[in-house]
Amino acid sequence: MTTRRAQIGARARQGIAADLEAMDADLRTMLEAQIRELELRIAGILAQEKDLAAKADLLRPIPGIGPVSAAMLLAEMPELGRMTAGEAASMTGLAPVPHDSGAMRGRRMIAGGRRALRHVLFQAALAAACHNPLLKSAAKRLKEKGKPHKLVIIAIARRLVTWSCPRFAGHSGGCGLSCDELAWRAHLQP
């Protein structure tokens, strides 16, 4: 759907004939209706399942984690409270993977993991880098060090995952740190 939405936008900029524009408007209306229906169904499931609703309520106070990213975290990572922060970052594909061989030290890149979740967390990180005071200062520090924009956003997305980790395990579970300790350490780290 996102690809089609991008195609619609590109066609509008190219000045395609009016009859095609009408088809695109109808298609856009249909897609938006389908998205609204899916969002309502997801909200209904979260409202019916008390366990999922409680977990979603634990995630939503994190600035940057909204209803979409909370639903994706719950759907794509049901094991979130039972793993360490590093394992959670690896499962989302946000952990740096070394490309080393012998004496050669390659660049670290993200790889693997759950792609759909990584894309949603990337979008959440864009919002969090602007609206979460702790993550905003971390992003600023990384940019001042000359880090590329995508690296900064991936670092913020990884912090969002590691912050969500202890919320499910009695506020100190799989990561071994309380949420406050984790937030403070993330604030101190470059």
Side-chain angles (χ1 to χ4, degrees), residues 41-139:
R41 288 174 60 190
I42 290 169
I45 291 170
L46 286 177
Q48 289 176 355
E49 298 288 330
K50 292 180 183 177
D51 185 43
L52 288 176
K55 288 180 179 181
D57 289 342
L58 289 173
L59 287 173
R60 286 194 187 124
I62 301 172
I65 301 284
V68 172
S69 50
M72 281 294 289
L73 275 167
L74 293 174
E76 296 288 328
M77 279 186 68
E79 59 275 300
L80 188 58
R82 299 181 300 268
M83 62 178 66
T84 66
E87 291 170 339
S90 292
M91 290 193 75
T92 56
L94 295 171
V97 177
H99 293 280
D100 299 342
S101 178
M104 189 217 47
R105 181 174 157 92
R107 294 181 63 174
R108 271 69 179 138
M109 296 182 201
I110 60 169
R114 297 172 182 166
R115 184 177 183 190
L117 184 57
R118 184 172 59 247
H119 289 285
V120 168
L121 288 170
F122 187 88
Q123 293 297 319
L126 285 171
C130 295
H131 301 291
N132 185 327
L134 293 175
L135 294 177
K136 187 175 185 177
S137 64

Side-chain angles (χ1 to χ4, degrees), residues 8-29:
I8 291 169
R11 185 173 290 149
R13 289 187 295 276
Q14 293 173 351
I16 303 297
D19 58 335
L20 292 177
E21 289 295 324
M23 281 188 349
D24 283 345
D26 293 341
L27 182 61
R28 183 179 300 157
T29 304

